[in-house]
Amino acid sequence: MKYNAKEPYYVETFYNVMEIKDADTLVVKHAFSKEEKEIRLYGIDVPEIRMNRKLKIDEEKTHLPTSLLIELGWEARNYLTSVLSVGDRITILTETKNAYDLYHRQLGYVILETGECLNELLLQNGYAKASRDYYCSKLAEYQLINRNAQMNKVGLYARISHF
């Protein structure tokens, strides 16, 4: 990781998307070193796309059926693939004081070639919700963006009031 002393982030460039696991987790590979790693997007959560332990927890928390949560997860993933494709080059910003999650995935803000932050695009367009589970320094800002999407009924919020 390259550390930018002016910001509290590690800045990593020349990574290409190898796999889109779901709408908040990517597998990336460095263009030169060929290092591969999994990146979990900071500050957001998206419904799961397959049965797992977290899906059961989400079902209990939201009182939404598993089948609907999976459908919403695929809708969010489809949105993500409309703005990011396998092979795309990205930049990863990782907070120096909060770099990994409980599952040892690197946390990151993913910056697209357009300069847009993927985390924020998902929130603005209603395909992710702000979440404390993967804390980030932008959490308060992300909660406001999320609330705006919810109030305007965009993305997943066009179908449901919460997830």
Side-chain angles (χ1 to χ4, degrees):
M1 288 187 210
K2 178 182 172 189
Y3 177 67
N4 180 343
K6 294 180 183 177
E7 296 292 333
Y9 302 113
Y10 290 107
V11 179
E12 298 177 281
T13 56
F14 300 108
Y15 275 88
N16 294 83
V17 176
M18 298 301 298
E19 179 186 352
I20 297 170
K21 288 196 153 211
D22 56 27
D24 54 24
T25 307
L26 309 171
V27 176
V28 298
K29 184 176 185 178
H30 195 270
F32 304 114
S33 72
K34 306 301 183 200
E35 172 197 21
E36 287 188 30
K37 57 185 165 182
E38 197 168 322
I39 303 296
R40 175 63 168 79
L41 300 180
Y42 272 119
I44 67 169
D45 190 33
V46 177
E48 299 297 310
I49 60 173
R50 60 185 68 83
M51 284 296 248
N52 59 32
R53 182 182 51 79
K54 184 179 175 298
L55 181 63
K56 290 294 187 188
I57 293 168
D58 289 348
E59 184 180 38
E60 289 174 16
K61 282 183 186 176
T62 65
H63 304 289
L64 296 172
T66 297
S67 58
L68 177 58
L69 288 169
I70 289 173
E71 188 179 316
L72 296 171
W74 279 104
E75 195 173 322
R77 188 182 185 282
N78 289 341
Y79 170 76
L80 184 142
T81 60
S82 76
V83 297
L84 180 71
S85 300
V86 169
D88 284 359
R89 173 106 8 120
I90 60 168
T91 297
I92 305 161
L93 303 179
T94 300
E95 295 180 1
T96 57
K97 294 181 180 178
N98 182 31
Y100 295 93
D101 72 3
L102 183 64
Y103 305 103
H104 307 290
R105 297 176 293 187
Q106 183 177 329
L107 297 168
Y109 299 103
V110 170
I111 309 303
L112 306 177
E113 290 181 286
T114 62
E116 297 171 293
C117 178
L118 181 61
N119 312 47
E120 292 170 15
L121 282 176
L122 286 161
L123 285 167
Q124 289 165 353
N125 290 288
Y127 291 101
K129 66 180 179 180
S131 174
R132 291 186 186 109
D133 292 345
Y134 299 100
Y135 177 80
C136 67
S137 62
K138 294 184 173 206
L139 184 59
E141 177 185 341
Y142 280 11
Q143 289 170 328
L144 289 174
I145 294 170
N146 182 73
R147 186 68 179 139
N148 190 49
Q150 195 175 27
M151 297 298 289
N152 291 315
K153 298 184 186 300
V154 296
L156 302 181
Y157 293 116
R159 298 181 58 194
I160 57 170
S161 61
H162 69 282
F163 59 90

